[in-house]
Amino acid sequence: MKKFQFEGKGNISGDRVRELRLRARLSQSALAAKMTTEGVIMEQDVISRIESGSRLVTDYELLALTKIFAVSADWLIGSG
């Protein structure tokens, strides 16, 4: 198992990030722009890698996502 991977993925929140983004009718670029307004500099390709599970999500990125989508961190990581 690679370091920082769980069940072959770099994060467990990617599926929920994609679900929320689609529900909000945001493109990956639009979500990246919203992340930037929260102080997290991010490009579209980073959103793509998060959603595919190939990129680790940091704690401050998770916090920004919870603010943008008004969900709890527990829900975002699938435990709530």
Side-chain angles (χ1 to χ4, degrees):
M1 178 165 84
K2 286 186 176 181
K3 188 176 180 181
F4 301 119
Q5 286 205 341
F6 178 76
E7 296 179 0
K9 289 191 166 188
N11 69 64
I12 58 175
S13 60
D15 291 337
R16 291 216 170 167
V17 170
R18 184 175 193 280
E19 176 185 335
L20 290 168
R21 179 182 61 78
L22 293 174
R23 200 181 298 166
R25 296 185 175 168
L26 294 172
S27 66
Q28 290 177 341
S29 295
L31 178 53
K34 284 186 173 286
M35 291 291 283
T36 300
T37 65
E38 291 294 329
V40 179
I41 307 303
M42 192 170 282
E43 300 291 330
Q44 174 274 325
D45 68 308
V46 175
I47 300 294
S48 177
R49 291 191 323 239
I50 287 172
E51 290 181 355
S52 72
S54 65
R55 184 185 177 278
L56 179 74
V57 178
T58 64
D59 54 358
Y60 62 88
E61 291 167 343
L62 191 68
L63 180 60
L65 288 164
T66 64
K67 289 179 182 179
I68 290 167
F69 292 117
V71 296
S72 70
D74 285 343
W75 186 89
L76 201 54
I77 61 172
S79 65

